[in-house]
Amino acid sequence: MSTYTIQSGDTLSGIASRYGTTVDTLMGLNPYITNRNLIYAGNTLNLPGAQQSAPATTQNTTPQKTTQQLAEEYAKAQTANSGNETQALLNQYEKIAEQQKQALQQNKQLAETQVNSQRDDVLQTYNDNARQAYINSMLGKKSVEQELSQAGLNTSGLVGSAYANIENAYGNNLSGLQKSRDTSINNINKQLNEIQLQYAIQESELLSDIENAKLEIQKYGDQLAYQKYQDALNNYLNFANYDSQQQQIAQEQANWQKEFELALQELELAKKKASSSGSGSSRSSSSSSVSSAYSFPEDSSLYTISSNNTGSSNKSSSSKKEREPLQNPTEWLLNGKLNIGR
């Protein structure tokens, strides 16, 4: 026996026509189908034996999935893109985090540039002052030489001694300039170190905040995906439970309909038996025949009083009145007042 997986839009009559069989045959092979007009996509349908032989390996032996398994598959399908949604949030936040890191780096570079500009100023000032000190020493030497020459003291001893004094003054001045320059450079280097340390701390805090934010986004995405999964799972199970209830109701209605039709058939059969017992028999014998198959309630409203006796009304009043059933016993069945004895 082969099987077929019901697809969306299929009907039992359409499947029967496609495989050359009848709806009743399919319902007999698939007892779980109680309503020929109600089948569900995804269910497996047993089919009658195929006309042409097929390898045994091609027979579909996949067991039918339970409602819980189908619900889980449905929930997984509904939440299949949850990971992509979470990743999209992470990617969006990565862009924001990258902008924050770039802004921090730009602020650091700006602070370093401002401090380094002070270094350039210090070096430029030192070079200008050192050059001026050298010029002053050269001018001093020339001035001393002219003064000694005018005074007639232009001897090598005096000139050498004057030059030595000027050189010492120039050296002391240059040393002071270098010391001032080095002090300023050291202060600038300290500022740069402080800037680098300050921004290293800020960068570390920023990276930590970014990682924590990513974890929170991932956690939020996982919680959202789980909630979506549970919602989809519950929705499917609730829908399946509703369908099961509807099938049960349909089955009960079908059973009731069969019982009702059977009761009507038995009633008609009883009527035929009663009528075939003899047209010349009395009404009491007909009533007795029907009563043998059915139990009539004692409600007096269900009977009529026979008035066939025209000249003996007094005798009728003293004797037991003859009871005659209604012309349509089906009314008793429909009203629930006729108990059928089987």
PDB file of all heavy atoms in Angstrom, residues 142-180:
ATOM      1  N   LYS A 142      83.502  92.177  18.316  1.00  0.00           N
ATOM      2  CA  LYS A 142      83.909  93.255  17.406  1.00  0.00           C
ATOM      3  C   LYS A 142      83.952  94.598  18.116  1.00  0.00           C
ATOM      4  O   LYS A 142      84.848  95.441  17.898  1.00  0.00           O
ATOM      5  CB  LYS A 142      82.936  93.302  16.231  1.00  0.00           C
ATOM      6  CG  LYS A 142      83.343  94.275  15.154  1.00  0.00           C
ATOM      7  CD  LYS A 142      82.411  94.159  13.978  1.00  0.00           C
ATOM      8  CE  LYS A 142      82.853  95.105  12.865  1.00  0.00           C
ATOM      9  NZ  LYS A 142      81.977  95.026  11.687  1.00  0.00           N
ATOM     10  N   SER A 143      82.971  94.796  19.001  1.00  0.00           N
ATOM     11  CA  SER A 143      82.923  96.064  19.736  1.00  0.00           C
ATOM     12  C   SER A 143      84.113  96.197  20.669  1.00  0.00           C
ATOM     13  O   SER A 143      84.730  97.278  20.789  1.00  0.00           O
ATOM     14  CB  SER A 143      81.606  96.127  20.531  1.00  0.00           C
ATOM     15  OG  SER A 143      81.584  97.303  21.303  1.00  0.00           O
ATOM     16  N   VAL A 144      84.450  95.110  21.357  1.00  0.00           N
ATOM     17  CA  VAL A 144      85.609  95.147  22.280  1.00  0.00           C
ATOM     18  C   VAL A 144      86.885  95.412  21.502  1.00  0.00           C
ATOM     19  O   VAL A 144      87.756  96.200  21.930  1.00  0.00           O
ATOM     20  CB  VAL A 144      85.690  93.830  23.052  1.00  0.00           C
ATOM     21  CG1 VAL A 144      87.044  93.726  23.766  1.00  0.00           C
ATOM     22  CG2 VAL A 144      84.551  93.732  24.053  1.00  0.00           C
ATOM     23  N   GLU A 145      87.016  94.803  20.367  1.00  0.00           N
ATOM     24  CA  GLU A 145      88.229  94.986  19.557  1.00  0.00           C
ATOM     25  C   GLU A 145      88.358  96.434  19.100  1.00  0.00           C
ATOM     26  O   GLU A 145      89.465  97.013  19.133  1.00  0.00           O
ATOM     27  CB  GLU A 145      88.157  94.058  18.344  1.00  0.00           C
ATOM     28  CG  GLU A 145      89.430  94.092  17.504  1.00  0.00           C
ATOM     29  CD  GLU A 145      89.344  93.136  16.330  1.00  0.00           C
ATOM     30  OE1 GLU A 145      88.346  92.355  16.247  1.00  0.00           O
ATOM     31  OE2 GLU A 145      90.262  93.142  15.502  1.00  0.00           O
ATOM     32  N   GLN A 146      87.260  97.040  18.720  1.00  0.00           N
ATOM     33  CA  GLN A 146      87.293  98.446  18.285  1.00  0.00           C
ATOM     34  C   GLN A 146      87.620  99.366  19.464  1.00  0.00           C
ATOM     35  O   GLN A 146      88.398 100.329  19.334  1.00  0.00           O
ATOM     36  CB  GLN A 146      85.948  98.820  17.672  1.00  0.00           C
ATOM     37  CG  GLN A 146      85.682  98.166  16.338  1.00  0.00           C
ATOM     38  CD  GLN A 146      84.286  98.503  15.803  1.00  0.00           C
ATOM     39  OE1 GLN A 146      83.486  99.115  16.519  1.00  0.00           O
ATOM     40  NE2 GLN A 146      84.056  98.092  14.547  1.00  0.00           N
ATOM     41  N   GLU A 147      87.038  99.092  20.601  1.00  0.00           N
ATOM     42  CA  GLU A 147      87.282  99.941  21.771  1.00  0.00           C
ATOM     43  C   GLU A 147      88.754  99.870  22.207  1.00  0.00           C
ATOM     44  O   GLU A 147      89.378 100.893  22.557  1.00  0.00           O
ATOM     45  CB  GLU A 147      86.377  99.528  22.929  1.00  0.00           C
ATOM     46  CG  GLU A 147      84.898  99.856  22.685  1.00  0.00           C
ATOM     47  CD  GLU A 147      84.012  99.350  23.791  1.00  0.00           C
ATOM     48  OE1 GLU A 147      84.550  98.689  24.723  1.00  0.00           O
ATOM     49  OE2 GLU A 147      82.778  99.563  23.754  1.00  0.00           O
ATOM     50  N   LEU A 148      89.302  98.667  22.224  1.00  0.00           N
ATOM     51  CA  LEU A 148      90.714  98.528  22.616  1.00  0.00           C
ATOM     52  C   LEU A 148      91.625  99.186  21.581  1.00  0.00           C
ATOM     53  O   LEU A 148      92.660  99.781  21.940  1.00  0.00           O
ATOM     54  CB  LEU A 148      91.064  97.038  22.746  1.00  0.00           C
ATOM     55  CG  LEU A 148      90.434  96.301  23.931  1.00  0.00           C
ATOM     56  CD1 LEU A 148      90.803  94.832  23.876  1.00  0.00           C
ATOM     57  CD2 LEU A 148      90.912  96.916  25.259  1.00  0.00           C
ATOM     58  N   SER A 149      91.245  99.121  20.322  1.00  0.00           N
ATOM     59  CA  SER A 149      92.075  99.718  19.282  1.00  0.00           C
ATOM     60  C   SER A 149      92.068 101.237  19.412  1.00  0.00           C
ATOM     61  O   SER A 149      93.100 101.901  19.250  1.00  0.00           O
ATOM     62  CB  SER A 149      91.558  99.293  17.906  1.00  0.00           C
ATOM     63  OG  SER A 149      92.294  99.921  16.881  1.00  0.00           O
ATOM     64  N   GLN A 150      90.924 101.799  19.703  1.00  0.00           N
ATOM     65  CA  GLN A 150      90.835 103.240  19.858  1.00  0.00           C
ATOM     66  C   GLN A 150      91.617 103.715  21.098  1.00  0.00           C
ATOM     67  O   GLN A 150      92.167 104.827  21.120  1.00  0.00           O
ATOM     68  CB  GLN A 150      89.368 103.661  19.980  1.00  0.00           C
ATOM     69  CG  GLN A 150      88.588 103.488  18.672  1.00  0.00           C
ATOM     70  CD  GLN A 150      87.106 103.795  18.852  1.00  0.00           C
ATOM     71  OE1 GLN A 150      86.684 104.117  19.966  1.00  0.00           O
ATOM     72  NE2 GLN A 150      86.356 103.707  17.751  1.00  0.00           N
ATOM     73  N   ALA A 151      91.637 102.867  22.102  1.00  0.00           N
ATOM     74  CA  ALA A 151      92.351 103.243  23.337  1.00  0.00           C
ATOM     75  C   ALA A 151      93.816 102.930  23.249  1.00  0.00           C
ATOM     76  O   ALA A 151      94.590 103.235  24.191  1.00  0.00           O
ATOM     77  CB  ALA A 151      91.717 102.512  24.528  1.00  0.00           C
ATOM     78  N   GLY A 152      94.257 102.383  22.167  1.00  0.00           N
ATOM     79  CA  GLY A 152      95.659 102.057  21.990  1.00  0.00           C
ATOM     80  C   GLY A 152      96.064 100.858  22.812  1.00  0.00           C
ATOM     81  O   GLY A 152      97.245 100.676  23.110  1.00  0.00           O
ATOM     82  N   LEU A 153      95.057 100.049  23.178  1.00  0.00           N
ATOM     83  CA  LEU A 153      95.357  98.869  23.992  1.00  0.00           C
ATOM     84  C   LEU A 153      95.149  97.593  23.178  1.00  0.00           C
ATOM     85  O   LEU A 153      94.807  96.544  23.709  1.00  0.00           O
ATOM     86  CB  LEU A 153      94.450  98.830  25.218  1.00  0.00           C
ATOM     87  CG  LEU A 153      94.549 100.042  26.168  1.00  0.00           C
ATOM     88  CD1 LEU A 153      93.503  99.933  27.254  1.00  0.00           C
ATOM     89  CD2 LEU A 153      95.939 100.148  26.750  1.00  0.00           C
ATOM     90  N   ASN A 154      95.359  97.756  21.888  1.00  0.00           N
ATOM     91  CA  ASN A 154      95.074  96.635  21.005  1.00  0.00           C
ATOM     92  C   ASN A 154      96.240  95.655  21.035  1.00  0.00           C
ATOM     93  O   ASN A 154      97.034  95.546  20.118  1.00  0.00           O
ATOM     94  CB  ASN A 154      94.864  97.134  19.579  1.00  0.00           C
ATOM     95  CG  ASN A 154      94.361  96.017  18.663  1.00  0.00           C
ATOM     96  OD1 ASN A 154      93.976  94.972  19.147  1.00  0.00           O
ATOM     97  ND2 ASN A 154      94.398  96.255  17.369  1.00  0.00           N
ATOM     98  N   THR A 155      96.309  94.939  22.177  1.00  0.00           N
ATOM     99  CA  THR A 155      97.341  93.912  22.332  1.00  0.00           C
ATOM    100  C   THR A 155      96.650  92.558  22.302  1.00  0.00           C
ATOM    101  O   THR A 155      95.458  92.422  22.606  1.00  0.00           O
ATOM    102  CB  THR A 155      98.096  94.076  23.656  1.00  0.00           C
ATOM    103  OG1 THR A 155      97.169  93.930  24.742  1.00  0.00           O
ATOM    104  CG2 THR A 155      98.744  95.448  23.721  1.00  0.00           C
ATOM    105  N   SER A 156      97.421  91.609  21.961  1.00  0.00           N
ATOM    106  CA  SER A 156      96.823  90.268  21.841  1.00  0.00           C
ATOM    107  C   SER A 156      96.340  89.752  23.187  1.00  0.00           C
ATOM    108  O   SER A 156      95.342  89.045  23.273  1.00  0.00           O
ATOM    109  CB  SER A 156      97.872  89.301  21.249  1.00  0.00           C
ATOM    110  OG  SER A 156      99.025  89.254  22.085  1.00  0.00           O
ATOM    111  N   GLY A 157      97.002  90.128  24.252  1.00  0.00           N
ATOM    112  CA  GLY A 157      96.618  89.643  25.576  1.00  0.00           C
ATOM    113  C   GLY A 157      95.273  90.188  25.993  1.00  0.00           C
ATOM    114  O   GLY A 157      94.397  89.473  26.501  1.00  0.00           O
ATOM    115  N   LEU A 158      95.074  91.455  25.817  1.00  0.00           N
ATOM    116  CA  LEU A 158      93.809  92.076  26.225  1.00  0.00           C
ATOM    117  C   LEU A 158      92.658  91.610  25.332  1.00  0.00           C
ATOM    118  O   LEU A 158      91.549  91.376  25.808  1.00  0.00           O
ATOM    119  CB  LEU A 158      93.946  93.590  26.151  1.00  0.00           C
ATOM    120  CG  LEU A 158      94.906  94.224  27.185  1.00  0.00           C
ATOM    121  CD1 LEU A 158      95.045  95.716  26.949  1.00  0.00           C
ATOM    122  CD2 LEU A 158      94.391  93.950  28.595  1.00  0.00           C
ATOM    123  N   VAL A 159      92.934  91.523  24.053  1.00  0.00           N
ATOM    124  CA  VAL A 159      91.870  91.073  23.129  1.00  0.00           C
ATOM    125  C   VAL A 159      91.453  89.645  23.450  1.00  0.00           C
ATOM    126  O   VAL A 159      90.257  89.295  23.487  1.00  0.00           O
ATOM    127  CB  VAL A 159      92.352  91.183  21.678  1.00  0.00           C
ATOM    128  CG1 VAL A 159      91.323  90.548  20.744  1.00  0.00           C
ATOM    129  CG2 VAL A 159      92.582  92.628  21.306  1.00  0.00           C
ATOM    130  N   GLY A 160      92.420  88.792  23.707  1.00  0.00           N
ATOM    131  CA  GLY A 160      92.098  87.390  24.029  1.00  0.00           C
ATOM    132  C   GLY A 160      91.301  87.279  25.306  1.00  0.00           C
ATOM    133  O   GLY A 160      90.360  86.476  25.402  1.00  0.00           O
ATOM    134  N   SER A 161      91.687  88.105  26.288  1.00  0.00           N
ATOM    135  CA  SER A 161      90.965  88.062  27.555  1.00  0.00           C
ATOM    136  C   SER A 161      89.522  88.546  27.376  1.00  0.00           C
ATOM    137  O   SER A 161      88.572  87.978  27.927  1.00  0.00           O
ATOM    138  CB  SER A 161      91.697  88.924  28.578  1.00  0.00           C
ATOM    139  OG  SER A 161      90.993  88.963  29.791  1.00  0.00           O
ATOM    140  N   ALA A 162      89.319  89.612  26.555  1.00  0.00           N
ATOM    141  CA  ALA A 162      87.969  90.128  26.295  1.00  0.00           C
ATOM    142  C   ALA A 162      87.120  89.099  25.530  1.00  0.00           C
ATOM    143  O   ALA A 162      85.937  88.899  25.829  1.00  0.00           O
ATOM    144  CB  ALA A 162      88.062  91.430  25.512  1.00  0.00           C
ATOM    145  N   TYR A 163      87.768  88.464  24.581  1.00  0.00           N
ATOM    146  CA  TYR A 163      87.049  87.445  23.831  1.00  0.00           C
ATOM    147  C   TYR A 163      86.590  86.277  24.742  1.00  0.00           C
ATOM    148  O   TYR A 163      85.497  85.723  24.588  1.00  0.00           O
ATOM    149  CB  TYR A 163      87.913  86.898  22.708  1.00  0.00           C
ATOM    150  CG  TYR A 163      87.964  87.768  21.470  1.00  0.00           C
ATOM    151  CD1 TYR A 163      87.309  88.984  21.433  1.00  0.00           C
ATOM    152  CD2 TYR A 163      88.670  87.343  20.329  1.00  0.00           C
ATOM    153  CE1 TYR A 163      87.374  89.771  20.299  1.00  0.00           C
ATOM    154  CE2 TYR A 163      88.717  88.118  19.182  1.00  0.00           C
ATOM    155  CZ  TYR A 163      88.057  89.345  19.184  1.00  0.00           C
ATOM    156  OH  TYR A 163      88.116  90.116  18.065  1.00  0.00           O
ATOM    157  N   ALA A 164      87.438  85.922  25.648  1.00  0.00           N
ATOM    158  CA  ALA A 164      87.118  84.815  26.569  1.00  0.00           C
ATOM    159  C   ALA A 164      85.919  85.166  27.433  1.00  0.00           C
ATOM    160  O   ALA A 164      85.037  84.322  27.684  1.00  0.00           O
ATOM    161  CB  ALA A 164      88.327  84.491  27.441  1.00  0.00           C
ATOM    162  N   ASN A 165      85.865  86.396  27.885  1.00  0.00           N
ATOM    163  CA  ASN A 165      84.699  86.808  28.683  1.00  0.00           C
ATOM    164  C   ASN A 165      83.401  86.747  27.864  1.00  0.00           C
ATOM    165  O   ASN A 165      82.345  86.341  28.354  1.00  0.00           O
ATOM    166  CB  ASN A 165      84.925  88.216  29.218  1.00  0.00           C
ATOM    167  CG  ASN A 165      86.045  88.264  30.280  1.00  0.00           C
ATOM    168  OD1 ASN A 165      86.308  87.255  30.959  1.00  0.00           O
ATOM    169  ND2 ASN A 165      86.718  89.405  30.400  1.00  0.00           N
ATOM    170  N   ILE A 166      83.540  87.235  26.611  1.00  0.00           N
ATOM    171  CA  ILE A 166      82.339  87.207  25.750  1.00  0.00           C
ATOM    172  C   ILE A 166      81.901  85.765  25.473  1.00  0.00           C
ATOM    173  O   ILE A 166      80.701  85.438  25.479  1.00  0.00           O
ATOM    174  CB  ILE A 166      82.623  87.950  24.441  1.00  0.00           C
ATOM    175  CG1 ILE A 166      82.812  89.448  24.735  1.00  0.00           C
ATOM    176  CG2 ILE A 166      81.501  87.744  23.438  1.00  0.00           C
ATOM    177  CD1 ILE A 166      83.273  90.239  23.522  1.00  0.00           C
ATOM    178  N   GLU A 167      82.882  84.884  25.235  1.00  0.00           N
ATOM    179  CA  GLU A 167      82.556  83.480  24.971  1.00  0.00           C
ATOM    180  C   GLU A 167      81.889  82.839  26.187  1.00  0.00           C
ATOM    181  O   GLU A 167      80.944  82.067  26.057  1.00  0.00           O
ATOM    182  CB  GLU A 167      83.827  82.707  24.612  1.00  0.00           C
ATOM    183  CG  GLU A 167      84.394  83.044  23.235  1.00  0.00           C
ATOM    184  CD  GLU A 167      83.489  82.496  22.119  1.00  0.00           C
ATOM    185  OE1 GLU A 167      82.645  81.599  22.397  1.00  0.00           O
ATOM    186  OE2 GLU A 167      83.597  82.973  20.987  1.00  0.00           O
ATOM    187  N   ASN A 168      82.386  83.153  27.387  1.00  0.00           N
ATOM    188  CA  ASN A 168      81.773  82.594  28.600  1.00  0.00           C
ATOM    189  C   ASN A 168      80.336  83.088  28.775  1.00  0.00           C
ATOM    190  O   ASN A 168      79.440  82.318  29.129  1.00  0.00           O
ATOM    191  CB  ASN A 168      82.618  82.988  29.825  1.00  0.00           C
ATOM    192  CG  ASN A 168      83.950  82.238  29.871  1.00  0.00           C
ATOM    193  OD1 ASN A 168      84.059  81.133  29.313  1.00  0.00           O
ATOM    194  ND2 ASN A 168      84.968  82.837  30.481  1.00  0.00           N
ATOM    195  N   ALA A 169      80.139  84.360  28.494  1.00  0.00           N
ATOM    196  CA  ALA A 169      78.785  84.908  28.613  1.00  0.00           C
ATOM    197  C   ALA A 169      77.839  84.249  27.592  1.00  0.00           C
ATOM    198  O   ALA A 169      76.674  83.913  27.905  1.00  0.00           O
ATOM    199  CB  ALA A 169      78.811  86.416  28.403  1.00  0.00           C
ATOM    200  N   TYR A 170      78.372  84.065  26.378  1.00  0.00           N
ATOM    201  CA  TYR A 170      77.565  83.415  25.339  1.00  0.00           C
ATOM    202  C   TYR A 170      77.229  81.974  25.730  1.00  0.00           C
ATOM    203  O   TYR A 170      76.088  81.500  25.566  1.00  0.00           O
ATOM    204  CB  TYR A 170      78.319  83.437  24.012  1.00  0.00           C
ATOM    205  CG  TYR A 170      77.701  82.572  22.942  1.00  0.00           C
ATOM    206  CD1 TYR A 170      76.471  82.921  22.369  1.00  0.00           C
ATOM    207  CD2 TYR A 170      78.336  81.394  22.533  1.00  0.00           C
ATOM    208  CE1 TYR A 170      75.913  82.121  21.400  1.00  0.00           C
ATOM    209  CE2 TYR A 170      77.767  80.604  21.560  1.00  0.00           C
ATOM    210  CZ  TYR A 170      76.546  80.958  20.992  1.00  0.00           C
ATOM    211  OH  TYR A 170      75.969  80.154  20.039  1.00  0.00           O
ATOM    212  N   GLY A 171      78.217  81.251  26.264  1.00  0.00           N
ATOM    213  CA  GLY A 171      78.008  79.863  26.690  1.00  0.00           C
ATOM    214  C   GLY A 171      76.977  79.767  27.797  1.00  0.00           C
ATOM    215  O   GLY A 171      76.124  78.869  27.793  1.00  0.00           O
ATOM    216  N   ASN A 172      77.103  80.693  28.774  1.00  0.00           N
ATOM    217  CA  ASN A 172      76.130  80.664  29.877  1.00  0.00           C
ATOM    218  C   ASN A 172      74.716  80.977  29.376  1.00  0.00           C
ATOM    219  O   ASN A 172      73.732  80.361  29.809  1.00  0.00           O
ATOM    220  CB  ASN A 172      76.539  81.672  30.944  1.00  0.00           C
ATOM    221  CG  ASN A 172      77.822  81.259  31.663  1.00  0.00           C
ATOM    222  OD1 ASN A 172      78.127  80.049  31.748  1.00  0.00           O
ATOM    223  ND2 ASN A 172      78.572  82.228  32.163  1.00  0.00           N
ATOM    224  N   ASN A 173      74.628  81.931  28.469  1.00  0.00           N
ATOM    225  CA  ASN A 173      73.320  82.296  27.908  1.00  0.00           C
ATOM    226  C   ASN A 173      72.731  81.124  27.120  1.00  0.00           C
ATOM    227  O   ASN A 173      71.534  80.799  27.243  1.00  0.00           O
ATOM    228  CB  ASN A 173      73.482  83.515  27.017  1.00  0.00           C
ATOM    229  CG  ASN A 173      72.129  84.074  26.581  1.00  0.00           C
ATOM    230  OD1 ASN A 173      71.088  83.721  27.142  1.00  0.00           O
ATOM    231  ND2 ASN A 173      72.137  84.936  25.581  1.00  0.00           N
ATOM    232  N   LEU A 174      73.552  80.479  26.312  1.00  0.00           N
ATOM    233  CA  LEU A 174      73.089  79.345  25.523  1.00  0.00           C
ATOM    234  C   LEU A 174      72.676  78.177  26.422  1.00  0.00           C
ATOM    235  O   LEU A 174      71.677  77.490  26.153  1.00  0.00           O
ATOM    236  CB  LEU A 174      74.189  78.910  24.560  1.00  0.00           C
ATOM    237  CG  LEU A 174      73.790  77.831  23.534  1.00  0.00           C
ATOM    238  CD1 LEU A 174      72.664  78.321  22.652  1.00  0.00           C
ATOM    239  CD2 LEU A 174      75.015  77.434  22.708  1.00  0.00           C
ATOM    240  N   SER A 175      73.420  77.953  27.479  1.00  0.00           N
ATOM    241  CA  SER A 175      73.070  76.881  28.414  1.00  0.00           C
ATOM    242  C   SER A 175      71.721  77.145  29.068  1.00  0.00           C
ATOM    243  O   SER A 175      70.905  76.231  29.251  1.00  0.00           O
ATOM    244  CB  SER A 175      74.168  76.762  29.479  1.00  0.00           C
ATOM    245  OG  SER A 175      73.840  75.777  30.426  1.00  0.00           O
ATOM    246  N   GLY A 176      71.483  78.406  29.406  1.00  0.00           N
ATOM    247  CA  GLY A 176      70.191  78.758  30.006  1.00  0.00           C
ATOM    248  C   GLY A 176      69.039  78.543  29.026  1.00  0.00           C
ATOM    249  O   GLY A 176      67.961  78.072  29.399  1.00  0.00           O
ATOM    250  N   LEU A 177      69.311  78.911  27.770  1.00  0.00           N
ATOM    251  CA  LEU A 177      68.283  78.698  26.747  1.00  0.00           C
ATOM    252  C   LEU A 177      67.990  77.209  26.552  1.00  0.00           C
ATOM    253  O   LEU A 177      66.830  76.803  26.400  1.00  0.00           O
ATOM    254  CB  LEU A 177      68.742  79.317  25.423  1.00  0.00           C
ATOM    255  CG  LEU A 177      68.829  80.847  25.379  1.00  0.00           C
ATOM    256  CD1 LEU A 177      69.415  81.308  24.053  1.00  0.00           C
ATOM    257  CD2 LEU A 177      67.448  81.455  25.603  1.00  0.00           C
ATOM    258  N   GLN A 178      69.047  76.404  26.541  1.00  0.00           N
ATOM    259  CA  GLN A 178      68.853  74.954  26.376  1.00  0.00           C
ATOM    260  C   GLN A 178      68.088  74.347  27.563  1.00  0.00           C
ATOM    261  O   GLN A 178      67.216  73.490  27.384  1.00  0.00           O
ATOM    262  CB  GLN A 178      70.209  74.273  26.223  1.00  0.00           C
ATOM    263  CG  GLN A 178      70.899  74.589  24.912  1.00  0.00           C
ATOM    264  CD  GLN A 178      72.302  74.002  24.838  1.00  0.00           C
ATOM    265  OE1 GLN A 178      72.893  73.610  25.866  1.00  0.00           O
ATOM    266  NE2 GLN A 178      72.860  73.955  23.625  1.00  0.00           N
ATOM    267  N   LYS A 179      68.409  74.819  28.735  1.00  0.00           N
ATOM    268  CA  LYS A 179      67.723  74.313  29.927  1.00  0.00           C
ATOM    269  C   LYS A 179      66.235  74.670  29.881  1.00  0.00           C
ATOM    270  O   LYS A 179      65.373  73.833  30.178  1.00  0.00           O
ATOM    271  CB  LYS A 179      68.370  74.888  31.179  1.00  0.00           C
ATOM    272  CG  LYS A 179      67.794  74.332  32.467  1.00  0.00           C
ATOM    273  CD  LYS A 179      68.552  74.896  33.668  1.00  0.00           C
ATOM    274  CE  LYS A 179      67.969  74.322  34.964  1.00  0.00           C
ATOM    275  NZ  LYS A 179      68.711  74.850  36.163  1.00  0.00           N
ATOM    276  N   SER A 180      65.967  75.890  29.503  1.00  0.00           N
ATOM    277  CA  SER A 180      64.560  76.313  29.380  1.00  0.00           C
ATOM    278  C   SER A 180      63.838  75.504  28.300  1.00  0.00           C
ATOM    279  O   SER A 180      62.673  75.097  28.466  1.00  0.00           O
ATOM    280  CB  SER A 180      64.505  77.804  29.048  1.00  0.00           C
ATOM    281  OG  SER A 180      63.178  78.211  28.860  1.00  0.00           O
TER     282      SER A 180
END
